[in-house]
C-alpha cells in the first residue's frame, strides 16, 4: 500500500477503493452488487414504462415520480462502471478529469433528487389542502417549468466548487475512500487552500438539502393540520395513505445522506469499511428502494405492474 501511495503522489490518476479487507472476495462481492444494479435499472425502467404507457397515470403526482425514477437511473449510470469495474478487477484507477466529472454528476443528482422530493411534497400539499385548484395549479406547462428549474438549480450552483477541484494541488496519496468520486473525498487529498470549497459546499448543503428537508417538513405539518380537520375517519386515512410512499422515499433518501455526511465529518477514526459501506448505501439504497416503495404502496402503480406481469406470463 505504501509503494502504491508513493507511485500516485505526482500522477493525475486516483486509486479506487473496493471493500477494504475483502479484496480476495471481490469477485464474490460482485454478484450481489451486480444484482442490486440490475434491480435498480429494471425497477426504475419499469416505473418509467408504466407511467408512460398508462393514460390514467398521466397526472402531476406520477410525472414527478417519473422524474424521481429518471434521476435514480442517472445515478445508476454515473456509478455502475466504477463500482462494478473495481469489483470485477478491470478498473482500479480513475483520471482526475473523469473523477471530477463523476463527482459533479453524483452531487448534482443528489441535489436533484432532493428537489424532486420537495416538488412531490408540494404536489401532495396542493392535492390535500387545496384539491379544487389542483388541476389549475399543477398544469403540464407548470410541471415542465418545475422540471427545468430543478435541473438548473441542481447542476448550476455546484459548478464553481466542482470546477475548482481541477486547480487544486493533490500532494497526498491518491487513494480514494470509495469506488466512485465525491467532492469531500478529493478535498481530503488536497494540499491547497480548500476553504472556499469547504464553505461553499456547506452553504450548498444548507440551501439545498437542509432547506428542502425543512420545506418538506412544513408541507407535512400543514397537510396533517388539514387532514385532522376532516370529520370522516375513512377520508382522513385515505388522504394520509396518498402520502405514505412519499414519506418513505424522503426517509430512504435523507437517512443515508445524513449518515454519509456524519461519517465524513466526524468518523475519521472509523474503519475504512464503514466509509465504503455508507458510501454504497448512499449511492444504491434510494434508487433500489424507490421503485419497490411505489410499487407496493401506490395502488395505481401496483395494479398496473401486476397487469404488466400477468400479460407477460400469458
Amino acid at each position: 500500500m505504501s509503494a502504491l501511495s508513493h507511485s500516485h503522489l505526482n500522477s493525475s490518476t486516483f486509486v479506487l477503493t473496493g471493500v477494504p479487507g475483502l479484496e480476495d472476495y471481490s469477485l464474490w462481492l460482485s454478484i450481489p452488487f451486480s444484482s442490486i444494479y440490475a434491480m435498480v435499472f429494471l425497477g426504475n425502467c419499469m416505473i418509467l414504462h408504466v407511467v408512460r404507457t398508462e393514460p390514467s397515470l398521466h397526472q402531476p403526482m406520477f410525472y414527478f415520480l417519473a422524474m424521481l425514477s429518471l434521476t435514480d437511473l442517472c445515478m445508476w449510470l454515473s456509478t455502475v462502471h466504477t463500482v462494478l469495474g473495481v469489483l470485477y478487477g478491470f478498473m482500479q484507477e480513475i483520471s482526475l478529469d473523469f473523477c471530477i466529472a463523476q463527482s459533479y454528476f453524483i452531487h448534482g443528482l443528489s441535489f436533484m433528487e432532493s428537489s424532486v422530493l420537495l416538488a412531490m411534497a408540494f404536489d401532495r400539499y396542493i392535492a390535500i389542502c387545496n384539491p379544487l385548484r389542483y388541476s389549475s395549479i399543477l398544469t403540464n406547462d407548470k410541471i415542465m417549468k418545475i422540471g427545468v428549474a430543478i435541473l438548473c438549480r441542481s447542476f448550476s450552483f455546484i459548478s464553481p466548487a466542482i470546477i475548482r477541484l481541477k486547480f487544486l494541488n493533490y500532494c497526498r496519496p491518491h487513494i480514494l475512500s470509495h469506488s466512485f468520486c465525491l467532492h469531500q473525498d478529493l478535498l481530503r487529498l488536497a494540499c491547497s487552500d480548500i476553504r472556499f470549497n469547504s464553505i461553499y459546499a456547506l452553504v450548498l448543503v444548507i440551501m439545498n438539502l437542509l432547506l428542502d428537508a425543512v420545506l418538506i417538513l412544513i408541507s407535512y405539518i400543514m397537510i396533517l393540520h388539514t387532514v385532522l380537520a376532516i370529520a370522516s375517519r375513512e377520508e382522513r386515512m385515505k388522504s394520509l395513505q396518498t402520502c405514505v410512499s412519499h414519506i418513505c422515499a424522503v426517509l430512504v433518501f435523507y437517512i443515508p445522506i445524513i449518515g454519509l455526511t456524519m461519517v465524513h465529518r466526524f468518523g475519521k477514526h472509523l474503519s475504512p469499511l464503514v466509509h465504503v459501506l455508507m458510501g454504497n448505501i448512499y449511492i444504491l439504497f434510494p434508487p433500489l428502494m424507490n421503485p419497490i416503495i411505489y410499487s407496493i404502496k401506490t395502488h395505481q402503480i401496483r395494479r398496473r405492474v401486476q397487469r404488466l406481469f400477468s400479460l407477460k406470463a400469458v
Side-chain angles (χ1 to χ4, degrees):
M1 181 63 76
S2 177
L4 187 67
S5 302
H6 287 299
S7 67
H8 287 87
L9 273 173
N10 298 312
S11 72
S12 60
T13 60
F14 293 80
V15 178
L16 296 162
T17 299
V19 183
L22 298 174
E23 289 84 0
D24 294 339
Y25 302 96
S26 291
L27 205 56
W28 289 105
L29 288 170
S30 67
I31 297 172
F33 273 90
S34 298
S35 302
I36 290 169
Y37 269 107
M39 290 169 66
V40 168
F41 177 74
L42 294 173
N44 286 287
C45 283
M46 180 187 68
I47 294 290
L48 288 171
H49 174 73
V50 166
V51 172
R52 187 181 68 85
T53 57
E54 181 57 50
S56 65
L57 299 182
H58 293 174
Q59 302 172 32
M61 173 183 173
F62 298 105
Y63 289 146
F64 288 128
L65 175 59
M67 289 184 198
L68 188 68
S69 290
L70 189 60
T71 303
D72 287 338
L73 272 179
C74 290
M75 183 67 86
W76 173 89
L77 189 63
S78 299
T79 60
V80 62
H81 49 289
T82 55
V83 173
L84 294 186
V86 169
L87 291 174
Y88 281 111
F90 60 79
M91 189 172 188
Q92 301 297 332
E93 297 178 352
I94 187 170
S95 68
L96 176 61
D97 291 340
F98 198 95
C99 191
I100 291 171
Q102 188 181 47
S103 67
Y104 175 72
F105 283 107
I106 289 175
H107 293 294
L109 289 165
S110 291
F111 289 145
M112 189 169 175
E113 183 139 353
S114 177
S115 299
V116 172
L117 290 171
L118 175 60
M120 294 172 86
F122 177 68
D123 167 79
R124 289 300 83 209
Y125 166 74
I126 298 297
I128 293 171
C129 300
N130 204 349
L132 297 178
R133 296 189 59 204
Y134 180 72
S135 58
S136 62
I137 293 174
L138 287 173
T139 61
N140 288 347
D141 184 54
K142 284 180 182 173
I143 291 169
M144 285 184 66
K145 287 178 180 177
I146 289 171
V148 172
I150 287 172
L151 199 62
C152 293
R153 180 197 187 213
S154 303
F155 287 98
S156 59
F157 292 126
I158 66 168
S159 297
I162 296 296
I163 290 171
R164 196 168 184 277
L165 290 174
K166 175 69 176 173
F167 304 100
L168 297 179
N169 179 31
Y170 300 97
C171 63
R172 295 189 177 93
H174 291 191
I175 300 173
L176 300 170
S177 302
H178 308 283
S179 49
F180 47 84
C181 294
L182 295 175
H183 174 262
Q184 58 266 40
D185 213 10
L186 284 171
L187 291 187
R188 182 180 59 84
L189 306 180
C191 298
S192 308
D193 186 355
I194 60 170
R195 281 176 297 180
F196 170 79
N197 282 69
S198 297
I199 295 169
Y200 191 84
L202 181 61
V203 171
L204 275 182
V205 168
I206 292 170
M207 296 304 295
N208 283 271
L209 301 180
L210 187 59
L211 179 62
D212 289 354
V214 170
L215 292 174
I216 289 169
L217 181 62
I218 291 171
S219 71
Y220 272 105
I221 290 171
M222 298 173 76
I223 287 170
L224 191 61
H225 181 265
T226 301
V227 168
L228 291 176
I230 299 173
S232 169
R233 184 179 182 276
E234 186 179 336
E235 285 298 316
R236 285 202 301 268
M237 294 305 295
K238 187 178 178 182
S239 297
L240 287 173
Q241 192 65 35
T242 63
C243 300
V244 171
S245 300
H246 180 252
I247 293 170
C248 291
V250 168
L251 293 174
V252 157
F253 173 74
Y254 278 101
I255 290 173
I257 208 168
I258 290 169
L260 183 66
T261 302
M262 292 298 104
V263 164
H264 272 282
R265 290 278 178 183
F266 310 111
K268 293 179 174 60
H269 62 285
L270 294 173
S271 165
L273 187 60
V274 176
H275 287 258
V276 169
L277 181 63
M278 286 306 303
N280 284 307
I281 290 173
Y282 159 68
I283 289 294
L284 291 172
F285 195 58
L288 174 67
M289 292 306 298
N290 286 334
I292 296 172
I293 289 166
Y294 278 92
S295 297
I296 293 173
K297 291 293 183 182
T298 308
H299 73 273
Q300 298 99 317
I301 296 284
R302 185 174 67 246
R303 192 170 60 243
R304 185 66 180 84
V305 169
Q306 287 172 344
R307 205 161 68 212
L308 183 69
F309 279 104
S310 64
L311 283 173
K312 289 190 174 182
V314 173

